[in-house]
Amino acid sequence: MLSRVADNLYWMSRYLERAEHTARLLDLNLSLLDQSQDEANERWQWMLNSLRVAMPETSPCDVYCITEHLTFNLRQQDSLVACITAARENARQVREQISEEMWERLNRLYLRAREAKMDAIYAQPHEFYRPIKDGSHLFQGITDATMNHGEGWHFIQLGRFIERAGATATLLDVHLRALLDAPEQPEQSRTDYISWVSLLKSCTAFEAYCQAYTADLKSERIAEFMLLNAESPRSVRFAAERVEAALQAIAKIAGKGRAGRAERLAGKLRATLGFAQMDEIIADNLHAYLDNIQRQCMQIHTAVAQQYISYPVEVALAS
């Protein structure tokens, strides 16, 4: 496969996953009622940190300002509209490689995002963010149903799950700082029930967690579920296993006899999560562990770019 095609399919998928993640966080946080301004400030700062976005420079900056910044600001490359616009441009560059149904669905998502008005969104946020999330899910389903599961499809899976693994690890790291900063305090004084529910719902994992552990929310159990659970599609381990599977499939189709650096790094990340125990992670250093997971995701991304997208011309000619 041409590196240009692989690059566009990979980034199209990453941008859509990122847009859905942002839509979920905004939809959830705008629906919560706060008991105090301090709680609201803390929660929105937490959300910005989870998305690795700085507070808007506009002063004073309130919830309306943050919502507009994360939704519409095209100078903010991780804003929702910027991500969907970039995903559409990536798809347009490889229009012949994707199905008509995929292109139509992505166009609908793009038009809905670009035509929305901030005042209308702020009045009824769920009416805007839910269709964005549903549109992303529909695109994934249409992709699986209409595109050949060849090399291009595996690059789409790779982009989706490397983005999900990194985003979920960052979300956990930011949220669980309270646990790390005050380990001697009783759990209920460090965070409250609503906070844990919002964390699980940020990853659409609340119902799945309750099926596994009941509604008794414990920080260690939540961390274990979202980090190490092998069956939850939103866990870091699940995403890491899909990244490794996608890279192995791509290498096989490309006829590579030996595992490249990207496959080796993906195997290392999968093993790191597959053999880990939550009590040992917390005893050692949970923040360091999550930081290491995020670093490994970045290394895989860099290795993929070097191995499949921006490799030297002499390597391409020799292959």
Side-chain angles (χ1 to χ4, degrees):
M1 171 172 281
L2 294 174
S3 60
R4 175 186 65 84
V5 175
D7 189 37
N8 279 297
L9 292 174
Y10 173 78
W11 275 110
M12 175 192 72
S13 187
R14 285 200 70 158
Y15 281 128
L16 277 180
E17 181 73 18
R18 194 173 300 176
E20 186 213 334
H21 184 62
T22 301
R24 268 189 284 110
L25 290 183
L26 282 169
D27 191 20
L28 177 68
N29 280 277
L30 287 168
S31 68
L32 293 177
L33 296 176
D34 298 294
Q35 295 178 339
S36 70
Q37 188 60 45
D38 288 342
E39 286 181 344
N41 293 339
E42 182 179 0
R43 185 160 52 76
W44 282 94
Q45 185 60 60
W46 164 76
M47 195 192 74
L48 286 167
N49 293 341
S50 299
L51 295 172
R52 303 171 189 160
V53 174
M55 183 70 77
E57 296 179 354
T58 307
S59 181
C61 189
D62 54 13
V63 173
Y64 185 99
C65 166
I66 294 173
T67 303
E68 185 176 35
H69 180 65
L70 290 174
T71 303
F72 289 109
N73 190 351
L74 293 177
R75 289 176 297 177
Q76 164 56 41
Q77 63 177 3
D78 290 334
S79 74
L80 190 148
V81 174
C83 284
I84 292 176
T85 301
R88 181 181 179 275
E89 178 58 24
N90 284 127
R92 192 185 67 79
Q93 294 287 336
V94 289
R95 178 68 187 81
E96 74 286 357
Q97 298 289 328
I98 63 176
S99 68
E100 183 70 25
E101 291 85 354
M102 291 168 66
W103 176 245
E104 287 180 0
R105 176 53 53 184
L106 188 50
N107 260 322
R108 289 185 188 181
L109 201 60
Y110 169 77
L111 293 173
R112 186 180 189 89
R114 291 300 296 259
E115 292 172 355
K117 303 299 181 186
M118 184 58 208
D119 287 343
I121 291 176
Y122 201 64
Q124 292 186 308
H126 198 56
E127 298 301 314
F128 173 73
Y129 293 111
R130 180 165 186 172
I132 295 295
K133 294 182 290 181
D134 291 347
S136 176
H137 294 157
L138 279 170
F139 182 83
Q140 293 171 15
I142 289 172
T143 299
D144 291 346
T146 64
M147 187 175 182
N148 289 339
H149 289 202
E151 196 172 9
W153 183 83
H154 288 296
F155 269 106
I156 291 175
Q157 302 305 304
L158 175 62
R160 176 191 305 170
F161 286 107
I162 196 69
E163 180 71 25
R164 186 175 298 180
T168 305
T170 304
L171 189 69
L172 277 174
D173 192 17
V174 171
H175 196 94
L176 294 173
R177 287 289 176 89
L179 178 66
L180 299 168
D181 293 343
E184 74 287 353
Q185 296 179 18
E187 183 164 329
Q188 289 305 317
S189 69
R190 294 194 295 270
T191 188
D192 56 28
Y193 184 83
I194 294 177
S195 179
W196 290 122
V197 171
S198 68
L199 173 62
L200 287 166
K201 288 195 172 184
S202 296
C203 297
T204 57
F206 179 69
E207 289 79 11
Y209 171 87
C210 291
Q211 290 173 4
Y213 293 108
T214 74
D216 185 18
L217 304 184
K218 300 290 186 184
S219 57
E220 289 81 1
R221 288 180 177 178
I222 293 172
E224 180 180 61
F225 184 77
M226 293 180 62
L227 190 58
L228 304 179
N229 190 284
E231 298 176 351
S232 171
R234 293 290 170 177
S235 78
V236 179
R237 178 181 173 182
F238 185 95
E241 290 178 349
R242 292 303 182 276
V243 168
E244 183 186 30
L247 281 169
Q248 288 176 342
I250 291 168
K252 183 177 180 181
I253 294 170
K256 295 184 179 297
R258 297 174 53 189
R261 176 172 166 76
E263 294 89 77
R264 294 197 301 274
L265 288 171
K268 180 182 176 183
L269 175 60
R270 189 262 307 154
T272 298
L273 293 158
F275 294 101
Q277 294 291 323
M278 203 63 229
D279 54 345
E280 295 177 357
I281 294 173
I282 292 176
D284 289 342
N285 189 321
L286 178 57
H287 169 64
Y289 188 87
L290 290 168
D291 191 53
N292 182 46
I293 295 297
Q294 295 168 63
R295 187 166 51 251
Q296 288 190 58
C297 288
M298 286 298 299
Q299 290 173 342
I300 294 171
H301 166 77
T302 302
V304 168
Q306 293 172 343
Q307 194 170 326
Y308 292 105
I309 295 171
S310 59
Y311 47 78
V313 173
E314 55 270 22
V315 174
L317 293 175
S319 62

Short mmCIF file of all heavy atoms in Angstrom, two decimals, residues 15 20 22 24 84 91 95 142 177 198 251 281 298 302:
data_model
loop_
_atom_site.label_atom_id
_atom_site.label_comp_id
_atom_site.label_asym_id
_atom_site.label_seq_id
_atom_site.Cartn_x
_atom_site.Cartn_y
_atom_site.Cartn_z
N TYR A 15 -8.50 10.90 14.02
CA TYR A 15 -9.25 12.15 14.21
C TYR A 15 -10.71 11.88 14.59
O TYR A 15 -11.28 12.58 15.43
CB TYR A 15 -9.17 13.01 12.95
CG TYR A 15 -7.89 13.77 12.80
CD1 TYR A 15 -7.14 13.71 11.64
CD2 TYR A 15 -7.41 14.57 13.84
CE1 TYR A 15 -5.95 14.42 11.50
CE2 TYR A 15 -6.23 15.28 13.71
CZ TYR A 15 -5.51 15.20 12.54
OH TYR A 15 -4.33 15.91 12.42
N GLU A 20 -14.94 11.93 18.76
CA GLU A 20 -15.95 11.24 19.57
C GLU A 20 -15.61 11.35 21.06
O GLU A 20 -16.49 11.57 21.89
CB GLU A 20 -16.05 9.77 19.15
CG GLU A 20 -17.18 9.03 19.84
CD GLU A 20 -16.85 7.57 20.09
OE1 GLU A 20 -16.03 7.00 19.36
OE2 GLU A 20 -17.40 7.02 21.05
N THR A 22 -13.92 13.74 22.55
CA THR A 22 -14.21 15.12 22.97
C THR A 22 -15.70 15.34 23.13
O THR A 22 -16.15 15.97 24.10
CB THR A 22 -13.64 16.10 21.94
OG1 THR A 22 -12.23 15.89 21.82
CG2 THR A 22 -13.88 17.54 22.36
N ARG A 24 -17.98 13.13 23.88
CA ARG A 24 -18.45 12.43 25.08
C ARG A 24 -18.15 13.23 26.34
O ARG A 24 -18.99 13.38 27.22
CB ARG A 24 -17.82 11.04 25.16
CG ARG A 24 -18.65 9.96 24.52
CD ARG A 24 -18.13 8.57 24.80
NE ARG A 24 -16.94 8.27 24.02
CZ ARG A 24 -15.72 8.14 24.50
NH1 ARG A 24 -15.53 8.30 25.80
NH2 ARG A 24 -14.71 7.86 23.72
N ILE A 84 -13.01 16.66 12.98
CA ILE A 84 -13.89 16.12 11.94
C ILE A 84 -13.51 16.67 10.57
O ILE A 84 -13.53 15.95 9.56
CB ILE A 84 -15.36 16.44 12.28
CG1 ILE A 84 -15.78 15.65 13.53
CG2 ILE A 84 -16.27 16.10 11.11
CD1 ILE A 84 -17.18 15.94 14.00
N ALA A 91 -10.01 11.58 4.36
CA ALA A 91 -10.84 10.68 3.57
C ALA A 91 -10.90 11.13 2.11
O ALA A 91 -10.87 10.31 1.18
CB ALA A 91 -12.24 10.61 4.17
N ARG A 95 -10.22 9.04 -1.49
CA ARG A 95 -11.64 8.79 -1.78
C ARG A 95 -11.85 7.45 -2.48
O ARG A 95 -12.84 6.77 -2.25
CB ARG A 95 -12.14 9.94 -2.67
CG ARG A 95 -13.56 9.84 -3.12
CD ARG A 95 -14.53 10.00 -1.98
NE ARG A 95 -15.88 9.74 -2.44
CZ ARG A 95 -16.39 8.53 -2.59
NH1 ARG A 95 -15.68 7.47 -2.30
NH2 ARG A 95 -17.62 8.36 -3.03
N ILE A 142 -20.26 1.09 9.46
CA ILE A 142 -20.31 1.09 8.00
C ILE A 142 -18.96 0.68 7.42
O ILE A 142 -18.88 -0.06 6.44
CB ILE A 142 -20.72 2.49 7.49
CG1 ILE A 142 -22.19 2.74 7.80
CG2 ILE A 142 -20.46 2.63 6.00
CD1 ILE A 142 -22.64 4.16 7.53
N ARG A 177 -5.15 11.23 39.89
CA ARG A 177 -4.16 12.01 40.62
C ARG A 177 -4.59 12.22 42.08
O ARG A 177 -3.77 12.28 42.98
CB ARG A 177 -3.96 13.37 39.96
CG ARG A 177 -3.20 13.32 38.65
CD ARG A 177 -1.73 12.99 38.88
NE ARG A 177 -1.04 12.86 37.61
CZ ARG A 177 -0.47 13.87 36.97
NH1 ARG A 177 -0.52 15.09 37.50
NH2 ARG A 177 0.14 13.68 35.82
N SER A 198 -18.88 9.71 36.60
CA SER A 198 -18.55 10.51 35.42
C SER A 198 -17.31 9.97 34.71
O SER A 198 -17.23 10.00 33.48
CB SER A 198 -18.33 11.97 35.81
OG SER A 198 -17.17 12.12 36.60
N ALA A 251 1.75 -6.36 8.69
CA ALA A 251 3.07 -6.94 8.38
C ALA A 251 2.93 -8.20 7.53
O ALA A 251 3.71 -8.43 6.60
CB ALA A 251 3.80 -7.25 9.69
N ILE A 281 0.64 -2.45 40.68
CA ILE A 281 0.79 -1.16 39.98
C ILE A 281 0.63 -0.01 40.96
O ILE A 281 1.41 0.95 40.99
CB ILE A 281 -0.25 -1.04 38.85
CG1 ILE A 281 0.02 -2.07 37.76
CG2 ILE A 281 -0.23 0.36 38.25
CD1 ILE A 281 -1.06 -2.13 36.69
N MET A 298 3.07 6.56 22.16
CA MET A 298 3.78 7.51 21.30
C MET A 298 4.89 6.82 20.52
O MET A 298 5.12 7.11 19.35
CB MET A 298 4.34 8.65 22.15
CG MET A 298 3.31 9.64 22.65
SD MET A 298 2.49 10.49 21.27
CE MET A 298 3.89 11.31 20.51
N THR A 302 5.29 6.60 16.46
CA THR A 302 6.51 7.01 15.76
C THR A 302 7.06 5.87 14.91
O THR A 302 7.48 6.07 13.76
CB THR A 302 7.57 7.47 16.78
OG1 THR A 302 7.04 8.54 17.56
CG2 THR A 302 8.83 7.94 16.08
#
